[in-house]
Amino acid sequence: MTTGLIPGGQPPDPRPSGLRPPQQRRDQGGQGSPHVDDRPRSSVITARAAASFEPVGRSVATARSFVRDTLQGWGFADIVDDAVVLTSELVTNAVVHAGTHADVLCLRSEDGVRIEVADRYPEREIPLQGSPATMGSPDREGGRGLQLCAAIAARWGVDYTSTHKQVWFQLHLPDRPVGTRTAGPSLPADLLPLADSRVRVAVLQIDRVGAISAWNEDAEELFGYAADQVIGKPLTDLAAWPHTPGTGTGIAEALQLSRWEGSYGIRGASGRVTPVYASHLRVRDTDGEPSTVCLLVRDHERAVLQTPSRLPASDTAPADGQSVDPFEVFIGSPAPDDLDGLLQRTVERARDMLDGDSAFLLLATDDETELEVRASTGLPSARQRFARVPVEAGPGRYGSARMPAVHEDLLAVPGAVPLLNGTGMRSVVTVPLKVEGRLTGSLGVAAEAQGRYSNEEALRLQFAADRIALAVESARLGELERLRRGSLSFLVEASDLLAGTLDRDQTLALMAQMTVPTLATWCAVYTIADQASDPYLSYVLHEDEELIDGIKSLLSKIAPPDPVPTPGARVWAAPGEAAHEAALRSSMRSLGLTGGPTHQVSSGIGPTLATASAVGGETVVLPLVARNRVIGMLTLGKPTDEHFRQEILELAEDLSRRAALALDNARLYSERTAISQSLQRSLLPPGLPEIDGVEVDVIYRAAGEGNEVGGDFYDVFPISDGAYGFAIGDVCGTGPHAAAVTGLARHALRLLAREGLSGPAVLERLNSAILDEGARSRFLTLLYGEMRPQPDGSAELKVVCAGHPLPLRLRQDGTVEPAAEPQPLLGVIEDLELYEQTVTLDPGDVLLCVTDGVTERREGTRMLGDDGLTDVLSTCTGLTAGAVAARIMRAVERFASDAPSDDMAILAMRVA
């Protein structure tokens, strides 16, 4: 891949001058229509990044990383997901389907980014207007790139030249940068938000590299860390950032912005996460060194730092001088640009409007059967957020969220409003949010006193709910669209990662790392070996590594979830209950309430409570189903009193399907590899015999990943009466087919030799056995011999060389000579006439036998050859058999830089 980056200036136009072919764009109706893009690009382009990718599958992932890194470097994090998805499809079309190079060009302008993907296959046609069928079916493997461009991009089109086809798309930036706020108007004292009597504002300063350089006393009080415990540590070690795909800004990006406001969490010394609202300001000192000052308050006190929106002058006071309902003031102001901000503003205004102690807003699910808590004030929001309650909680109008309801005293009707159970609220008024007659949510205000609300307050709240319902629904749909796009990008990346490995342990680790912390705070993966086996806890991960061992210990003590094949997530209460019981027992022991000494367990209560807090929230289980069989379960969990969003559970279900298939593929590959290796090991000799007065050593290298035995083989074995047989051979080809002939040859040699047959007779019968294999037979080169140590210290060898590289004899004076003559190879002709030759090795002599993988080692046009092997062997005088074999192998490996493409075997025998 080649890249180039030019900051600023006008990039050279990659197209030949004078060529401006027709392009396509989306009109207001969403249909493509040809036009000429005559926009003056030279006046708006501020930066350019280009890269070229080869026509191989891995280029798609590389192109995605290139676009992601480029846009994040330009500060365009809001449109990264859309750009990555579109680039992935277009580059796939080029390098996979068209099989050509892909050239990617990113152009930065004042209002957005233009990305161009060009390939070198101009003959393909683009879809014509009015012919939507030619754009490809969504079920097809290809053809979706232009459909996605039409659905996501602000503008898009296709350019043609005689040698290239180029598809381009443009993405616009949001109107307002992420996290910015504006000043707000003055308000009467009775309209100001409520806060605790002692408001603590933590002040942190973060240096250029993201490490904490200042930590005030309020920060110590809020989070439990002394300054010397955190100074110098990265803020990312403490921050629990909301990792919802498609929404929000990462903490690294937030610290780089000139000003930012928003919510996240800080993990305290106790292990609990404290929700905070933060205001970040980027500053520099007198030496020009940049840093970020962070002001943090507890999330329910966000009004201390949150910047209100500026109201138009006409909305601050009515012309007739009459009082204005505070909720109407809110409705007349520009709504926050994010759903959470809009909902939080709504509940705060509703509470103030009815002078309540708390307020809450719930959004309906798509099927309108449940309501999901999305914002609250005056209630433990961290505990209630994303919790679900049924739309129809009971019979009659007061049990349905579809109708306004006023409860004067909740003690008289226990459970009427499940969200308020145990909160101390006595009276409540709730009204529905409806859009075109469809229930979209519910808004409620509650007070600690009874009888506070009547139908009059219900009418006022319903009027306000009707005013805000459409804005809430529009913001909700926008959030769902961002989630969908982020989820698509997330699943694309996850699929690439899972497809890139066949290792079971690595697949398990990837499954966990993709879910934590993006989808859940912690996760556990259970695997099932077969239908008769129980689920086994295979992997545990938490975003805080210090809690992993505690969660693993807790889960190992409870029964695993049932392996139910039903798709979808189901709640699993056992971990939370077990954690609660363990924390209760530890607390009682530490207080001496169980009759035991307190000092023995007091030191362990901290980790126990931290584990209980970590798994105390909602826990769900998703089955891992592959090939119609449950092979495991993916367990996702939240910390104390937190719940999963439905969108996150749906994304987790999609991920679990991909992960299950990847895990099953890894299992099948592991089983196949284990079987293959077991069979291959059976083809190797069990060991080398000890021969008096003779050193024997062997080095064997099989070509191909995962192969222990290929087409080359060797053997040294006792025959009888002090005689030993030795053989080294090479079957035509490599891999399992060659290994099958290897097994036949090695076992046949041992059997025939021990029958007392001479060397030529052994090879002639082996030749017949190979030919009897018919179409499966392969020709074979073989060097076979028998060795008999002599009383005078020498060794007598009888050798037959059937088409194999000749054995080499190294004398003590350094001379090297062949020790046999070439004869016909085996497996080709039926009637062989072979003969054996006698060689006597004197003390200190070495006999070297190799396969052609050694002599035919190549580097370009050069080959080691017989002469090269002779030269290396001549330098081995005085070495042991093992040292001779090792020196030969080192010489072969150094001769060429590429991995060997053929099996290699080296057999060295030295008379001591």
Side-chain angles (χ1 to χ4, degrees):
M1 181 187 76
T2 59
T3 62
L5 180 62
I6 305 174
Q10 177 185 1
D13 195 329
R15 297 170 295 198
S17 60
L19 291 179
R20 290 294 184 269
Q23 303 176 14
Q24 288 192 349
R25 68 174 180 180
R26 291 187 302 156
D27 57 21
Q28 294 180 355
Q31 299 295 331
S33 58
H35 78 290
V36 177
D37 184 16
D38 54 1
R39 180 169 58 90
R41 289 167 46 182
S42 60
S43 62
V44 296
I45 300 300
T46 58
R48 172 183 182 272
S52 180
F53 303 94
E54 297 179 354
V56 293
R58 64 177 181 273
S59 293
V60 179
T62 308
R64 286 197 296 266
S65 299
F66 164 71
V67 172
R68 184 182 298 278
D69 294 343
T70 299
L71 299 192
Q72 288 180 343
W74 288 348
F76 293 165
D78 291 330
I79 60 176
V80 164
D81 289 331
D82 288 348
V84 167
V85 169
L86 295 180
T87 303
S88 178
E89 288 292 335
L90 297 178
V91 173
T92 299
N93 290 342
V95 303
V96 175
H97 301 305
T100 77
H101 283 73
D103 301 321
V104 180
L105 175 65
C106 301
L107 302 176
R108 183 181 69 185
S109 62
E110 298 172 353
D111 59 347
V113 170
R114 174 182 170 118
I115 297 180
E116 302 176 354
V117 179
D119 62 45
R120 303 169 190 179
Y121 185 34
E123 292 81 3
R124 289 178 295 161
E125 297 180 355
I126 64 171
L128 300 177
Q129 184 177 4
S131 303
T134 61
M135 293 189 71
S137 167
D139 297 328
R140 292 177 54 194
E141 181 181 0
R144 296 188 298 264
L146 299 184
Q147 284 184 318
L148 286 176
C149 286
I152 296 177
R155 303 181 67 199
W156 68 280
V158 185
D159 296 343
Y160 281 100
T161 69
S162 59
T163 59
H164 290 73
K165 189 195 82 167
Q166 174 181 281
V167 181
W168 62 269
F169 60 87
Q170 185 165 336
L171 300 173
H172 290 165
L173 294 177
D175 295 335
R176 296 173 59 185
V178 174
T180 59
R181 296 291 186 268
T182 57
S186 300
L187 294 175
D190 58 347
L191 299 181
L192 296 177
L194 297 176
D196 294 345
S197 58
R198 175 66 170 94
V199 178
R200 298 189 180 274
V201 181
V203 181
L204 286 64
Q205 191 158 4
I206 312 300
D207 61 19
R208 176 195 293 269
V209 297
I212 300 172
S213 58
W215 183 270
N216 73 339
E217 294 180 358
D218 278 0
E220 295 183 16
E221 184 66 25
L222 284 175
F223 310 125
Y225 296 106
D228 57 356
Q229 292 180 280
V230 295
I231 297 296
K233 290 186 176 181
L235 180 60
T236 53
D237 288 355
L238 305 181
W241 198 262
H243 292 268
T244 302
T247 63
T249 305
I251 189 169
E253 293 84 355
L255 292 175
Q256 296 299 319
L257 297 175
S258 60
R259 184 179 293 276
W260 184 89
E261 287 186 23
S263 298
Y264 51 92
I266 295 293
R267 188 176 297 103
S270 64
R272 298 178 64 95
V273 174
T274 301
V276 298
Y277 189 84
S279 175
H280 297 176
L281 178 65
R282 190 76 166 162
V283 298
R284 62 184 176 91
D285 59 20
T286 54
D287 297 328
E289 182 69 16
S291 62
T292 302
V293 177
C294 305
L295 306 181
L296 294 84
V297 297
R298 287 170 288 198
D299 192 60
H300 67 273
E301 298 172 337
R302 62 168 56 197
V304 176
L305 298 180
Q306 189 172 26
T307 305
S309 297
R310 180 180 290 110
L311 299 176
S314 60
D315 292 331
T316 59
D320 58 3
Q322 297 179 359
S323 62
V324 179
D325 191 299
F327 204 86
E328 292 188 15
V329 173
F330 162 68
I331 293 297
S333 68
D337 56 358
D338 63 299
L339 177 62
D340 289 338
L342 175 62
L343 300 183
Q344 191 63 34
R345 181 86 62 82
T346 300
V347 296
E348 291 172 359
R349 294 294 188 178
R351 178 197 60 186
D352 296 342
M353 182 180 70
L354 299 186
D355 193 23
D357 296 311
S358 64
F360 52 88
L361 193 151
L362 302 85
L363 295 183
T365 56
D366 292 337
D367 57 5
E368 298 183 27
T369 59
E370 290 183 308
L371 295 167
E372 186 178 65
V373 180
R374 291 301 302 270
S376 64
T377 182
L379 296 175
S381 57
R383 175 171 65 87
Q384 304 293 352
R385 187 166 170 80
F386 300 124
R388 292 195 169 200
V389 296
V391 169
E392 309 293 343
R397 59 169 294 180
Y398 292 105
S400 173
R402 302 181 187 276
M403 300 292 292
V406 177
H407 294 278
E408 295 183 353
D409 190 356
L410 291 176
L411 294 182
V413 280
V417 184
L419 184 64
L420 300 180
N421 292 342
T423 62
M425 301 296 160
R426 295 286 297 274
S427 56
V428 61
V429 54
T430 61
V431 297
L433 276 68
K434 293 186 177 181
V435 175
E436 297 180 351
R438 182 174 60 87
L439 179 69
T440 60
S442 178
L443 177 63
V445 178
E448 295 180 356
Q450 60 179 342
R452 285 281 297 275
Y453 302 116
S454 64
N455 288 340
E456 181 180 353
E457 284 79 9
L459 289 174
R460 293 180 64 199
L461 188 61
Q462 184 66 69
F463 175 76
D466 292 341
R467 296 285 302 276
I468 195 61
L470 186 59
V472 168
E473 181 66 5
S474 177
R476 185 186 74 88
L477 293 176
E479 181 191 66
L480 289 177
E481 179 66 15
R482 290 191 298 273
L483 278 171
R484 184 190 64 80
R485 296 180 181 181
S487 299
L488 180 59
S489 177
F490 173 76
L491 290 174
V492 167
E493 298 285 353
S495 298
D496 268 357
L497 289 173
L498 291 171
T501 178
L502 287 173
D503 181 82
R504 176 183 177 277
D505 294 337
Q506 188 174 359
T507 301
L508 291 172
L510 284 174
M511 290 170 57
Q513 292 165 8
M514 285 185 293
T515 57
V516 176
T518 305
L519 305 181
T521 306
W522 64 272
C523 87
V525 182
Y526 290 84
T527 57
I528 304 175
D530 51 60
Q531 295 181 352
S533 301
D534 294 328
Y536 174 75
L537 182 61
S538 299
Y539 203 91
V540 175
L541 184 66
H542 190 282
E543 62 181 6
D544 185 351
E545 294 183 359
E546 295 181 356
L547 298 176
I548 294 177
D549 291 338
I551 296 176
K552 187 182 297 183
S553 176
L554 176 70
L555 295 178
S556 64
K557 296 176 182 177
I558 62 178
D562 295 330
V564 179
T566 306
R570 68 182 192 276
V571 176
W572 185 32
E577 296 173 353
H580 176 75
E581 294 176 0
L584 182 61
R585 288 195 301 269
S586 297
S587 300
M588 293 179 64
R589 286 197 300 267
S590 67
L591 296 174
L593 300 180
T594 59
T598 61
H599 63 84
Q600 295 181 358
V601 295
S602 59
S603 60
I605 189 173
T608 302
L609 294 179
T611 301
S613 175
V615 302
E618 188 175 47
T619 302
V620 298
V621 178
L622 297 104
L624 298 175
V625 181
R627 298 174 175 89
N628 298 321
R629 186 175 73 87
V630 180
I631 63 170
M633 286 88 69
L634 177 63
T635 303
L636 307 180
K638 287 282 190 180
T640 300
D641 296 327
E642 289 194 20
H643 298 265
F644 285 98
R645 299 183 59 178
Q646 183 63 28
E647 295 83 2
I648 296 299
L649 293 180
E650 292 172 356
L651 179 58
E653 185 177 356
D654 286 339
L655 176 63
S656 68
R657 287 194 291 267
R658 291 163 169 79
L661 188 58
L663 183 61
D664 199 46
N665 287 339
R667 177 188 63 83
L668 294 174
Y669 178 78
S670 299
E671 291 179 356
R672 192 199 70 174
T673 302
I675 294 172
S676 174
Q677 291 177 348
S678 177
L679 293 175
Q680 290 182 50
R681 282 192 292 269
S682 69
L683 302 179
L684 294 174
L688 298 177
E690 294 288 341
I691 304 177
D692 292 337
V694 179
E695 300 173 359
V696 180
D697 209 315
V698 174
I699 295 180
Y700 185 87
R701 297 285 188 274
E705 183 179 357
N707 289 336
E708 293 187 12
V709 176
D712 292 5
F713 67 95
Y714 68 91
D715 200 0
V716 180
F717 55 92
I719 299 177
S720 62
D721 299 333
Y724 295 86
F726 64 91
I728 184 169
D730 183 2
V731 179
C732 173
T734 59
H737 296 293
V741 180
T742 296
L744 170 65
R746 194 180 71 82
H747 292 292
L749 283 176
R750 286 199 172 206
L751 180 63
L752 295 173
R754 287 171 177 170
E755 290 294 324
L757 300 176
S758 63
V762 169
L763 269 59
E764 288 168 2
R765 284 167 173 74
L766 176 59
N767 179 66
S768 299
I770 295 174
L771 292 175
D772 288 343
E773 291 292 308
R776 297 182 300 175
S777 66
R778 290 169 174 255
F779 64 80
L780 166 69
T781 68
L782 180 64
L783 172 66
Y784 173 75
E786 296 180 2
M787 173 186 296
R788 292 181 181 272
Q790 301 299 312
D792 60 358
S794 63
E796 182 182 83
L797 281 67
K798 295 182 178 180
V799 182
V800 181
C801 186
H804 198 77
L806 299 179
L808 298 179
R809 176 182 182 179
L810 171 66
R811 296 182 181 273
Q812 290 183 331
D813 57 4
T815 59
V816 178
E817 60 185 8
E821 297 177 355
Q823 300 185 58
L825 50 77
L826 308 181
V828 178
I829 59 178
E830 295 184 359
D831 297 329
L832 283 180
E833 294 184 1
L834 303 175
Y835 58 91
E836 61 184 9
Q837 297 175 272
T838 301
V839 179
T840 300
L841 297 181
D842 297 325
D845 288 355
V846 175
L847 184 71
L848 177 68
C849 309
V850 300
T851 58
D852 60 5
V854 174
T855 56
E856 295 181 3
R857 178 72 163 150
R858 294 180 180 274
E859 174 69 19
T861 59
R862 299 185 307 117
M863 186 172 71
L864 179 64
D866 296 333
D867 294 338
L869 181 63
T870 299
D871 294 340
V872 176
L873 183 59
S874 64
T875 65
C876 298
T877 305
L879 300 181
T880 63
V884 171
R887 178 171 293 187
I888 298 298
M889 180 56 71
R890 284 197 303 270
V892 172
E893 292 175 343
R894 293 173 180 173
F895 186 80
S897 57
D898 296 338
S901 60
D902 195 6
D903 305 327
M904 293 186 293
I906 300 174
L907 171 62
M909 296 182 291
R910 178 179 179 273
V911 179

